Amino acid sequence: MLDFDLLQPLIWSWLEFAVRWTHVITAIAWIGSSFYFIALDLGLRKAPNLPVGAHGEEWQVHGGGFYHIRKFLVAPEHMPEHLTWFKWESYSTWLSGAALLMVTYWAGANLFLIDPAKMELEVWQAILVSAGSLTIGWLVYDFLCKSSLDEKPTLLMVLLFVLLVAMGWGYNHVFTGRAVLLHLGAFTATIMTANVFFIIIPNQKIVVADLKAGRTPDPKYGKIAKLRSTHNNYLTLPVIFLMLSNHYPLAFASPYNWVIAALVFLMGVTIRHWFNSRHARKGNPYWTIPATILLFLAIVWISLIPGDYLEESDAASRPLTEYEMKYANAAGFEEVTDIVISRCSMCHADEVAWDGIGTAPRGIHLDNEARIIRAAREIFLNAGATNAMPPANVTFMEPEERRAIVNWYKAAQQG
């Protein structure tokens, strides 16, 4: 039976899995409904004998049956008895994402969030920057939308793009590469959910209240909601990439990760423009295909540009933090260092020596003492508590070596 010091990170890992699974499930529900309604809205057709106020209709077939759908541009003449609201998909996605941010990046700030080479922060300071920065985008974006720019949607989208690129650049001067793209995704997703919570749903409730009171709803509320919904539609695909970016060290570990993110946002626009144009029956904008390919090739090229990393001597001379010192002073550290360097560093290094692997998996480097200390929890979970690493045990890590890792981690927790 594992004692509490070793059981705690294992339970926490399962908690992270549960929250991540919840986040994926709710995100699928939100993205699915969002894409469906945009496609439905663009595909509406004019037809004779439409009810008063109806903008168009659509016949669809699915699941062995036919669906006849009509859209009222402002509102129907009378309030229907049953009305389904699509909002909890968005709220649940954001709430589960916020929980995942806390469980993974805040609780694991010393490994996944803080990069002392960029900015030396205490854990509480890093968490404060992380949480506070997510509100900035919504405040600036909402201000722009409520200005005269609401009549210039293209210019508004360009300014939103500039804001996102600026935030990516800023994050890259504070956090680890992995946290940079994740936070940019959370930053964007916060704008999207805030659109639903503060604008789209309240405007729809105003229309519903007018119908119940027998008043004619003002069409401006639907127009405003439609603008925000369109923005969400074009931001969805980049957010998916950013939320999954921790699987792609070539993207997040690049010193130009913020530029890669900017190009991903443009790819989201070209891809969605293709589908939106087809759904609206406006033809096939074939130019979006080579444009998307060129953007992707640019991303590949940028990811291969070497950066100005710290020299090894500089990294080694940086004083260890208080958090790192307990692992450096724990019994068995020297033995574990030899084990990890001999069994793991051929893949987890600046220059990977294992054929077929281009960059260190998940951006974790284990080729010196400081980096091993920094990744102590991940080493314990993947090579001590489990045999997940090395994959298929290709470097023949012995059971005694795994026990040494467990004993070292336990000693550090008790120290």
Side-chain angles (χ1 to χ4, degrees), residues 79-143:
M79 180 67 189
E81 294 183 5
H82 175 72
L83 187 62
T84 300
W85 293 82
F86 289 86
K87 56 182 179 179
W88 290 110
E89 298 91 339
S90 172
Y91 302 163
S92 300
T93 300
W94 190 89
L95 289 171
S96 59
L100 187 58
L101 176 67
M102 296 175 191
V103 170
T104 303
Y105 287 86
W106 292 5
N110 287 290
L111 175 61
F112 295 126
L113 187 60
I114 300 172
D115 186 345
K118 295 179 180 178
M119 185 175 292
E120 293 191 13
L121 297 170
E122 297 293 334
V123 170
W124 69 268
Q125 293 173 322
I127 293 174
L128 188 62
V129 173
S130 170
S133 66
L134 298 183
T135 64
I136 296 174
W138 163 250
L139 295 175
V140 174
Y141 164 78
D142 187 54
F143 171 79

Side-chain angles (χ1 to χ4, degrees), residues 101 106 112-115 118-119 121 126-138 163-191 242 252 255 257-258 261 265:
L101 176 67
W106 292 5
F112 295 126
L113 187 60
I114 300 172
D115 186 345
K118 295 179 180 178
M119 185 175 292
L121 297 170
I127 293 174
L128 188 62
V129 173
S130 170
S133 66
L134 298 183
T135 64
I136 296 174
W138 163 250
L163 171 64
L164 294 170
V165 174
M167 283 305 301
W169 178 86
Y171 278 135
N172 195 41
H173 283 75
V174 180
F175 295 142
T176 64
R178 172 172 165 164
V180 169
L181 295 192
L182 186 283
H183 275 75
L184 188 57
F187 180 90
T188 309
T190 298
I191 291 177
L242 294 170
F252 75 73
N257 50 26
W258 61 279
F265 277 110

Side-chain angles (χ1 to χ4, degrees), residues 335-394:
E335 180 184 3
V336 168
T337 298
D338 292 338
I339 293 170
V340 172
I341 289 178
S342 64
R343 304 299 190 189
C344 309
S345 64
M346 61 284 298
C347 295
H348 292 276
D350 289 335
E351 296 183 8
V352 178
W354 195 274
D355 291 339
I357 298 179
T359 60
R362 298 182 69 191
I364 296 176
H365 298 76
L366 303 173
D367 50 358
N368 62 47
E369 291 185 353
R371 287 171 164 177
I372 291 171
I373 291 170
R374 190 173 178 80
R377 179 175 175 271
E378 294 300 298
I379 293 171
F380 164 69
L381 288 174
N382 289 279
T386 72
N387 62 353
M389 290 291 167
N393 202 22
V394 292

